[in-house]
Amino acid sequence: MFKFLKEKLKGVIEKISKKVEEEAPIKEVEVEEPISQEAFETKEEAKEKPGKKEKKKKKEKKKEEIMAEEPAKEEPESETKEEVKAVEEKSLSEQEEKHGFFDFLKRKKEDKEELKEQVKEEEIKIESKEEKKGLFQTIKEKVTTKIISEKQFDDIFWDLEITLLENNVALEVIEKIKNDLKNDLTSRPIKRDRVEDEIKNSLKNSIENLFYIEPIDIIKRIEEKKEKPFVIVFFGVNGGGKTTTIAKLAYILKKIGLSSVISASDTFRAAAIQQLEEHASKIGIRIIKHDYGSDPAAVAFDAIKHAQSKSIDVVLIDTAGRLHSNVNLIDEMKKIVRVANPDLKIFVGESITGNDAVEQAKRFNESVGIDGIILTKADVDEKGGAIISVSYVTHKPIIYLGNGQNYDNLEKFDKYKLITNLGL
């Protein structure tokens, strides 16, 4: 997926970076940067006067030795055996008086030990704070940067615009990306050794922001609806992959335990009903059909009534492929919407058709107001212009990407996976 665009983007980013290096003026600026404790201490030590460093180390070593020593055991001030004997021979009142003095000395010793412990704890706290502060110290350094002016930007980034156009990215999207990059890259100095990374990150953020619409979780919506069935109608041009996509979604629903029925409301295209019947037979679900040339809205109505009578969870309505310029078919599509009153209206288009798919989605949205988009054949799309553009142009989310011929080859759209596939 996106092999061609990925290689092109990589090459053009390298080319732009080289142009910035060659053409953008150099400027030295002072910046504040966080540094590690070790780096900070190294810089501080370099600033110290000769001899001061050694004195500091000796002082710290002495402090560590003192802290490591066990507190000296204090004894009551010198008392000989004779004095002790004399005390024992004294009267009870004198002994009590002496015992009181010993208690005082003991309390004094305990107070002194407690004070030492408090001092030690405070010193540890101070050292811890100093170390923590050192980890977040900032320094001012002169850094060589490149300054890109707006005029230079327009000249330098012409290659990127051409690359996006070659890969079927819509003009509205190209303009948005260009403005994003200009606002980001010309508003600040860029470190000389970070030019390519900064360009890549700016482009990545711009493309990611194209998909600002919240994605639709079809399964969750089906399960949350109290009154069944949940009705989905599919629109698109001939050959866009509607019928196969409907079969894939029916297969996914059955796999997770949700029942469905298909409405064969494409009564215009030859063999459309037979194609749906084959899919329905393989999956093991029911199809509601009328004869060719019948009213498509009537087929949809009957399918919904059948689902209500049989407590079926979902009705999937196929419609005839049509161009937005065919007034009669557009009116027919509007009638299907009025009769079926669908919970979701989904446009299905081929990813590989690029800007055509984007324009088709835009016109269908203007005609009936689509809710979301499914793009087929994404697995063989080497350019990716439609996938990048369609959501931003229509203001509708991409729900699924078709990425193969098997029934389980319907993948939930993930903008982060898209970014990865573009090499950003």
Side-chain angles (χ1 to χ4, degrees), residues 1 82 164 207 213 253 272 403:
M1 191 186 290
E82 290 78 11
L164 294 174
I207 293 176
I213 307 293
L253 294 174
N403 58 3

Side-chain angles (χ1 to χ4, degrees), residues 179-370:
N179 289 333
D180 286 348
L181 266 62
K182 180 183 283 189
N183 292 334
D184 186 24
L185 299 174
T186 64
S187 61
R188 57 190 174 87
I190 302 172
K191 285 186 180 181
R192 195 171 182 179
D193 60 348
R194 292 275 303 167
V195 173
E196 186 173 332
D197 290 338
E198 291 291 345
I199 293 170
K200 187 183 289 186
N201 288 334
S202 185
L203 181 59
K204 173 185 173 183
N205 292 333
S206 181
I207 293 176
E208 188 177 315
N209 290 333
L210 292 170
F211 305 98
Y212 63 92
I213 307 293
E214 276 295 312
I216 294 173
D217 188 333
I218 291 180
I219 307 302
K220 185 178 180 182
R221 287 203 183 185
I222 293 170
E223 292 173 340
E224 287 177 348
K225 187 178 179 182
K226 293 180 180 178
E227 294 183 11
K228 304 297 182 185
F230 189 93
V231 180
I232 307 173
V233 61
F234 298 82
F235 303 112
V237 301
N238 280 325
K242 287 190 311 302
T243 303
T244 306
T245 298
I246 290 170
K248 287 180 178 181
L249 186 55
Y251 175 81
I252 290 172
L253 294 174
K254 184 176 181 180
K255 201 173 178 181
I256 62 173
L258 291 171
S259 58
S260 65
V261 62
I262 297 175
S263 170
S265 292
D266 182 358
T267 59
F268 179 77
R269 180 172 65 89
I273 296 174
Q274 286 92 329
Q275 188 180 1
L276 267 180
E277 283 182 314
E278 287 178 13
H279 284 306
S281 176
K282 288 177 182 178
I283 298 167
I285 61 172
R286 180 79 185 273
I287 180 174
I288 304 299
K289 63 178 183 175
H290 289 189
D291 293 332
Y292 283 107
S294 302
D295 183 359
V299 183
F301 179 82
D302 287 350
I304 293 169
K305 287 299 180 184
H306 173 79
Q308 288 172 342
S309 65
K310 300 295 183 180
S311 298
I312 294 173
D313 297 310
V314 186
V315 175
L316 304 169
I317 302 174
D318 188 19
T319 63
R322 65 204 74 204
L323 295 172
H324 63 275
S325 56
N326 190 319
V327 177
N328 291 333
L329 286 177
I330 291 298
D331 288 340
E332 181 185 86
M333 184 173 64
K334 290 178 180 178
K335 183 181 177 182
I336 294 171
V337 171
R338 287 197 306 272
V339 171
N341 189 26
D343 298 285
L344 279 180
K345 293 168 284 184
I346 297 176
F347 168 78
V348 181
E350 284 186 315
S351 174
I352 56 175
T353 59
N355 274 315
D356 287 343
V358 176
E359 190 63 23
Q360 291 160 13
K362 186 177 178 181
R363 298 306 176 193
F364 275 93
N365 186 45
E366 290 170 354
S367 299
V368 292
I370 63 174

